[in-house]
Amino acid sequence: MSVTDSLSTLKRTLYVDGKEYQYYRIKDLETNGYPISSLPHSIKMLLEAAVRHLDGKQITTSHIEQLANWEKTQWEKKEVPFKPARIVFQDFTGIPAIVDLAAMRDAVKRKGGDVSRINPQIPVDLVIDHSMIVDYFGNQESLSDNLKLEYERNLERYRFVRWAQKSFSNFRAVPPSNGIVHQVNLEYLATSIVTKNENGENIVYPDSLVGTDSHTPMINGLGTIGWGVGGIEAEAAMLGQPLYFVIPEVVGIKLSGKLQEGVTATDLALTITNLLRKKGVVGKFVEFFGKGLSSISLTDRATIANMAPEYGATMGYFPVDEVTLDYLELTGRGDNRSLIKAYYEAQGLFRTDDTPNPKFTETLELNLTSIKPTVAGPKRPQDSIELNSMKVEFTRVVTQPVASGGYGLDEAELDKKVELKDGSVISTGSLVLAAITSCTNTSNPSVMVAAGLVAKKALELGLKKPEFVKTSLTPGSRVVTKYLEASGLLKALEEIGFYIDGYGCATCCGNSGSLLESVEEAIKENNLLVASVLSGNRNFEGRVHPLIKANYLSSPPLVVAYALAGSVQVDMYSEPIGSGNNGNLVYLKDIWPTTEEINEVIRSTITKELFKEEYEHIFENEAWSSIESSEGMLFKWDDQSSYIQEAPYFLDEHSTVKTDSDFKNMKALLMLGDSITTDHISPVGQIPVKSPAGIFLTDKGIPVREFNAYGSRRGNHHVMVRGTFANIRIRNKLADGIEGGYTKYLPTGEIMPVYDAAVKYKEENQNLLIIAGKEYGTGSSRDWAAKGTALLGVKVVLAQSFERIHRSNLVGMGVLPLQFNEGENADTLHLDGREDFEIKGLNGEIIPGQKVQVIARKQDQLEQIEFTATVRLDSVVEIEYYQNGGILQTVLENLS
């Protein structure tokens, strides 16, 4: 029997609690000889979605055969489609995506089409969590003061979202101050299964999603398929297009043993990040299995899954088991427990300790007993450091060359001290920011309770925080506040200095706010190397705070401990954190809670009712409901708005449809090294006054205090294109050693901001490319990293390797990703970036992964370098997107 014939028999009936459900039983494909039972759970989930969406056009029997025969086809690198059940947005990426949809409606109207066709075709949830900035901290009013300021700064954006709520179907928004997208998703939005009435039948299938934030894989901890995509891809998915990706390899991680006393889920997540970055799992799925899983709580799993982007994987998947069901029960979603278990068992997707292990591409083993307390930094999340080596490692990195990840300073720098106006002293390594932040850890009660207990024990022993340390506490859910209040631990945290400042990503996404004024002055005037410790997932250069060069990731209890110590130049194992009552020295071991102490607080305070009560009104609050907005199918654009402008991608002057002339006489706008992140590329964080974006806002009459962060202005392309490649820590080899967003305008040799050079090149109709090293575009799934690149006039990015999401986003914006051949790069080919480039081989039919010829002519035109490179258009669908100028243009063409 062929697959085509057997598909009609895959639809089966499931009886649960007296009700009848229909589902597609993928196990029955084994009758065709496919090894379904031995497939990784994550591949089975993709297979089920393909079977259910089979239409013979976008999803064919060939796709199903490729997934069912994954053990062989994983090596063929063929593309398969995926249609998720829903989409989640955060506001930095979500609002510009909705702006694009609104602009698409205008474009459809101009073409005489049906505007009402432009609606999300699947459910979309937008959680406004990235706009909260920690301007106020350290007192009872900080929460209300920060929220008031957030609404004042972002009223134009929020009015737009309110219009979208009323205008678009299949669209919901979670207002500011109600939580972080991934924590809200984990605790409420995710349902594990979906039931849907189709033609009178109750169809049941797994919940699945994609999100416009790279940390979407956090939901993999719940056994739900989901990963991060660019806003560009998400918009196409919203409009009914499948997401196409190459069949992934799946690396299995076998867990055994248990975490030792005093070791946290954060320590485990940072250790796994380091392990898998070294292994190399970019573009792959990671799936956890083994008996050690039974000792890992659901929230611990979510902490590990959250950091999939940091270890480079598309997903870090944990199969559904009893731990999953218990968590759904705890969080008020246990009504479908029997149906969830019956469905996953029927599909061969329910894990037990006795379940036969799947077959993976390759397998790694990790004994949980070996995990030790860990931090990561000072510049990358994968650079993990065992806590007992922290002081030594900081000393080393201060003098280590910049090219090797250090700061390249003299040893004398380690003894630099500066007296503040109040008489206190800060020095190299002083901790000026301690932030309990991010969905990664604030979703995990074990580490949040541990933080509260460290604060409580520290107070009892008489410890106090140095005044120069800015502290902030920004949970991802109001449930966190409730259980910290109920246990009395919030009061202890407040007495240390950790007051609730808001419910948002805050420091983790660069919204840390200003430091103490005297501290900022001291850092600037003395070029002091100071530090932060945060419980987030990202610590790339320039992200946390522009004045803090050394940033370390750690568990929340360690954030509290370092805040009390006031420096990262402390050996937490052998040196005291500080002096307490009667001058007694206090060490970390004196204030660190036991596992039983933590579990006792969790047992006595965290209940199902707590979650139900907090999530009952998740889509509303008083401040949000009071916002007035326009109505109608078309948004009323305001030319004077500095936040929301009609996206330019559908206007003729911004057409990016490809022509042969695009690849001749190209000049390099930038020449970059390895590990260029989307934080380096995309506008992120504060807007400097004298930057092109700052000058633009000033010329519009906007005072500096109202600049807001770049992320909040993602709906205005005029601001964002000026902030592209403007990161203060980016190092462009064409800028003659100047750090920051500068480049050389090659015709004259003048050094100027990247945007200014791009404008000059555009006036001359000059084609541009970017040259880069390995791991180009690593980090968050920032659509503006690709949008800004395209609007600057860049036609090609030539790199040694690309991070998955950014490469896809470049294609989605009509920018060609080209990859150097293995073993080659700009240095080996003796390129200095001042050449004139030409690319040959793109004027006919393009084939995924084809080779093209690159010719680089030296400035004197007497010498030229020729080499081949690989076209990183990985599927025929990507080729179509690219040739049409991008995903959105392709969808618009189809709809029109």
Side-chain angles (χ1 to χ4, degrees):
M1 183 187 297
S2 70
V3 170
T4 304
D5 294 332
S6 65
L7 284 175
S8 61
T9 67
L10 291 182
K11 198 170 186 180
R12 295 298 185 89
T13 302
L14 187 66
Y15 298 95
V16 180
D17 296 335
K19 293 184 179 179
E20 186 177 306
Y21 302 89
Q22 304 298 313
Y23 74 106
Y24 292 88
R25 184 177 164 88
I26 58 172
K27 285 177 67 175
D28 288 355
L29 285 172
E30 289 189 325
T31 59
N32 296 83
Y34 295 109
I36 305 302
S37 295
S38 64
L39 291 177
H41 286 70
S42 51
I43 297 297
K44 288 182 186 178
M45 298 283 268
L46 294 177
L47 176 60
E48 186 281 335
V51 168
R52 181 164 35 87
H53 286 115
L54 176 69
D55 60 4
K57 295 179 182 179
Q58 293 179 326
I59 300 177
T60 67
T61 54
S62 176
H63 293 134
I64 290 169
E65 289 170 345
Q66 289 165 21
L67 287 167
N69 204 24
W70 170 84
E71 287 185 38
K72 295 179 180 178
T73 59
Q74 62 174 306
W75 310 112
E76 298 173 5
K77 301 302 178 185
K78 292 182 177 178
E79 62 169 17
V80 289
F82 174 58
K83 284 192 171 185
R86 58 190 177 92
I87 295 172
V88 293
F89 283 134
Q90 39 93 329
D91 56 305
F92 272 15
T93 51
I95 291 178
I98 302 302
V99 167
D100 290 351
L101 282 190
M104 192 178 286
R105 279 187 172 177
D106 285 274
V108 168
K109 183 182 180 183
R110 287 193 293 270
K111 290 175 177 286
D114 183 1
V115 172
S116 65
R117 295 183 66 186
I118 307 299
N119 270 302
Q121 301 301 301
I122 58 177
V124 173
D125 289 305
L126 184 151
V127 182
I128 300 176
D129 64 355
H130 272 53
S131 298
M132 180 259 151
I133 300 175
V134 188
D135 290 289
Y136 298 97
F137 65 97
N139 61 69
Q140 293 287 358
E141 285 72 46
S142 0
L143 172 61
S144 58
D145 288 345
N146 284 325
L147 187 60
K148 180 182 178 183
L149 196 53
E150 178 184 345
Y151 269 88
E152 289 175 357
R153 286 171 170 155
N154 297 284
L155 189 58
E156 288 183 45
R157 300 169 69 231
Y158 294 171
R159 278 181 179 151
F160 173 76
V161 177
R162 289 286 286 160
W163 166 81
Q165 275 185 306
K166 293 179 282 187
S167 183
F168 289 112
S169 58
N170 264 343
F171 177 74
R172 300 185 298 187
V174 175
S177 196
N178 278 14
I180 297 176
V181 58
H182 307 306
Q183 190 160 345
V184 172
N185 192 23
L186 182 74
E187 295 179 352
Y188 177 74
L189 297 175
T191 56
S192 190
I193 57 166
V194 178
T195 56
K196 187 176 181 181
N197 189 284
E198 291 183 355
N199 301 318
E201 293 181 329
N202 284 324
I203 306 295
V204 60
Y205 54 91
D207 179 27
S208 63
L209 66 144
V210 292
T212 56
D213 187 280
S214 55
H215 293 98
T216 302
M218 182 173 180
I219 205 61
N220 303 158
L222 195 69
T224 297
I225 287 287
W227 60 83
V229 297
I232 305 152
E233 287 180 290
E235 290 168 45
M238 282 194 295
L239 293 166
Q241 304 297 302
L243 300 170
Y244 289 88
F245 62 101
V246 174
I247 294 178
E249 297 175 27
V250 184
V251 178
I253 308 292
K254 184 178 182 180
L255 300 181
S256 60
K258 289 185 176 182
L259 294 177
Q260 295 187 72
E261 182 69 35
V263 176
T264 69
T266 314
D267 303 324
L268 176 56
L270 294 176
T271 302
I272 287 174
T273 298
N274 177 267
L275 171 72
L276 292 179
R277 266 293 170 185
K278 288 179 179 176
K279 176 64 182 174
V281 293
V282 173
K284 301 177 183 180
F285 286 4
V286 168
E287 186 169 313
F288 295 89
F289 71 105
K291 293 186 178 180
L293 273 181
S294 296
S295 70
I296 302 287
S297 73
L298 194 292
T299 48
D300 285 2
R301 296 176 184 187
T303 299
I304 297 164
N306 178 286
M307 295 194 72
E310 280 66 54
Y311 44 83
T314 303
M315 289 200 305
Y317 186 75
F318 290 82
V320 173
D321 60 9
E322 289 292 345
V323 175
T324 316
L325 300 180
D326 289 344
Y327 183 77
L328 289 168
E329 189 90 44
L330 173 65
T331 51
R333 293 167 290 173
D335 293 347
N336 282 333
R337 180 171 186 145
S338 56
L339 176 58
I340 294 169
K341 184 171 185 178
Y343 174 80
Y344 280 93
E345 285 181 335
Q347 291 283 40
L349 287 166
F350 195 81
R351 189 204 76 86
T352 70
D353 282 349
D354 299 323
T355 303
N357 294 329
K359 291 182 180 179
F360 297 102
T361 307
E362 58 181 317
T363 300
L364 304 176
E365 295 193 22
L366 181 62
N367 189 329
L368 299 175
T369 310
S370 69
I371 306 300
K372 297 178 180 178
T374 302
V375 296
K379 299 181 181 182
R380 302 189 305 177
Q382 64 262 39
D383 295 332
S384 64
I385 305 164
E386 289 188 8
L387 183 60
N388 59 4
S389 302
M390 173 64 172
K391 182 178 179 179
V392 172
E393 282 299 307
F394 177 77
T395 301
R396 184 184 63 81
V397 82
V398 169
T399 57
Q400 190 175 344
V402 172
S404 301
Y407 296 99
L409 302 173
D410 295 332
E411 285 190 20
E413 195 75 22
L414 290 164
D415 299 318
K416 182 186 281 188
K417 291 179 171 55
V418 179
E419 185 173 339
L420 302 179
K421 293 176 180 177
D422 63 1
S424 60
V425 175
I426 62 173
S427 57
T428 299
S430 282
L431 193 78
V432 296
L433 177 62
I436 300 176
T437 182
S438 170
C439 52
T440 316
N441 286 291
T442 66
S443 60
N444 193 327
S446 66
V447 290
M448 294 302 291
V449 167
L453 288 171
V454 167
K456 182 173 181 288
K457 289 172 180 283
L459 287 171
E460 290 169 351
L461 294 176
L463 286 182
K464 291 185 178 181
K465 172 188 72 67
E467 288 296 323
F468 58 77
V469 182
K470 177 176 180 176
T471 47
S472 67
L473 172 55
T474 52
S477 161
R478 287 182 172 269
V479 175
V480 177
T481 304
K482 290 297 183 183
Y483 66 69
L484 288 177
E485 283 177 338
S487 61
L489 297 179
L490 184 59
K491 188 174 187 302
L493 284 163
E494 289 174 345
E495 289 190 40
I496 294 291
F498 291 93
Y499 288 80
I500 301 285
D501 299 319
Y503 297 90
C505 297
T507 300
C508 195
C509 70
N511 289 348
S512 55
S514 300
L515 306 175
L516 295 175
E517 185 177 350
S518 59
V519 171
E520 291 204 353
E521 289 177 2
I523 297 170
K524 291 176 184 176
E525 291 172 6
N526 298 277
N527 194 24
L528 194 63
L529 175 59
V530 293
S532 77
V533 177
L534 64 151
S535 64
N537 45 45
R538 291 276 161 84
N539 56 345
F540 298 126
E541 292 181 280
R543 179 186 181 97
V544 174
H545 190 283
L547 295 179
I548 305 175
K549 294 182 181 179
N551 301 282
Y552 291 92
L553 306 180
S554 82
S555 64
L558 276 179
V559 172
V560 178
Y562 272 110
L564 292 164
S567 174
V568 294
Q569 284 210 69
V570 175
D571 185 334
M572 287 286 183
Y573 280 73
S574 62
E575 295 178 351
I577 289 176
S579 298
N581 298 325
N582 302 318
N584 294 328
L585 297 180
V586 180
Y587 294 81
L588 181 64
K589 62 183 175 59
D590 299 325
I591 60 175
W592 200 262
T594 65
T595 301
E596 181 50 37
E597 287 176 313
I598 295 168
N599 289 339
E600 175 55 33
V601 173
I602 291 174
R603 282 193 297 267
S604 62
T605 58
I606 301 181
T607 64
K608 178 194 304 186
E609 289 67 35
L610 209 57
F611 287 92
K612 284 192 169 183
E613 178 185 332
E614 286 304 315
Y615 281 107
E616 186 177 1
H617 304 291
I618 187 65
F619 296 108
E620 59 188 66
N621 62 39
E622 186 176 349
W624 184 251
S625 300
S626 67
I627 295 176
E628 295 181 1
S629 64
S630 62
E631 298 186 9
M633 294 294 288
L634 298 176
F635 183 69
K636 297 174 183 176
W637 306 102
D638 178 2
D639 291 341
Q640 300 306 308
S641 173
S642 63
Y643 281 95
I644 303 294
Q645 289 291 321
E646 182 177 1
Y649 319 117
F650 310 111
L651 304 175
D652 291 340
E653 61 265 32
H654 288 281
S655 171
T656 50
V657 176
K658 300 297 163 281
T659 64
D660 291 347
S661 62
D662 288 342
F663 308 106
K664 296 177 181 178
N665 187 31
M666 308 182 80
K667 290 191 182 296
L669 182 62
L670 299 106
M671 189 170 186
L672 305 166
D674 296 340
S675 298
I676 295 298
T677 73
T678 49
D679 281 2
H680 287 120
I681 305 168
S682 180
V684 63
Q686 299 176 6
I687 301 175
V689 179
K690 295 183 179 179
S691 68
I695 293 169
F696 172 81
L697 292 174
T698 301
D699 289 346
K700 291 286 184 182
I702 298 170
V704 175
R705 67 179 181 277
E706 295 179 15
F707 273 15
N708 214 333
Y710 273 117
S712 63
R713 294 189 180 273
R714 286 189 180 188
N716 185 344
H717 58 279
H718 299 296
V719 174
M720 298 302 284
V721 69
R722 286 167 168 81
T724 304
F725 292 106
N727 184 290
I728 61 171
R729 300 291 174 222
I730 195 170
R731 298 179 184 90
N732 174 19
K733 296 177 184 179
L734 293 178
D736 293 349
I738 299 175
E739 191 176 57
Y742 296 91
T743 195
K744 180 178 289 183
Y745 176 62
L746 294 172
T748 64
E750 183 183 356
I751 302 297
M752 61 182 66
V754 172
Y755 172 77
D756 293 348
V759 169
K760 280 182 167 289
Y761 283 128
K762 188 171 184 178
E763 289 171 350
E764 299 162 0
N765 294 317
Q766 175 69 60
N767 294 319
L768 299 174
L769 83 162
I770 289 169
I771 302 171
K774 295 182 234 179
E775 294 184 343
Y776 183 77
T778 187
S780 298
S781 57
R782 301 193 187 281
D783 57 332
W784 262 105
K787 288 179 176 178
T789 299
L791 290 180
L792 284 172
V794 174
K795 307 290 186 182
V796 174
V797 175
L798 174 61
Q800 278 183 265
S801 63
F802 293 88
E803 197 80 352
R804 177 185 63 87
I805 297 176
H806 184 59
R807 184 203 62 79
S808 176
N809 281 347
L810 287 172
V811 177
M813 287 307 301
V815 178
L816 180 68
L818 278 186
Q819 191 160 315
F820 286 107
N821 290 332
E822 187 69 31
E824 292 185 345
N825 57 39
D827 290 338
T828 64
L829 293 167
H830 306 293
L831 302 174
D832 61 20
R834 294 178 295 174
E835 299 85 356
D836 289 330
F837 292 85
E838 181 179 353
I839 298 168
K840 291 186 174 181
L842 288 169
N843 55 353
E845 181 181 353
I846 301 176
I847 300 170
Q850 78 174 61
K851 297 285 187 180
V852 292
Q853 184 183 25
V854 183
I855 300 172
R857 297 181 180 88
K858 293 294 184 180
Q859 283 189 316
D860 58 13
Q861 300 297 312
L862 298 177
E863 179 188 355
Q864 69 180 35
I865 301 166
E866 297 186 23
F867 57 97
T868 59
T870 302
V871 174
R872 285 302 310 277
L873 301 174
D874 292 349
S875 69
V876 293
V877 174
E878 284 194 342
I879 291 170
E880 180 187 9
Y881 290 159
Y882 171 72
Q883 291 180 323
N884 286 337
I887 289 180
L888 300 182
Q889 289 81 355
T890 302
V891 173
L892 181 62
E893 186 66 28
N894 292 339
L895 287 171
S896 301

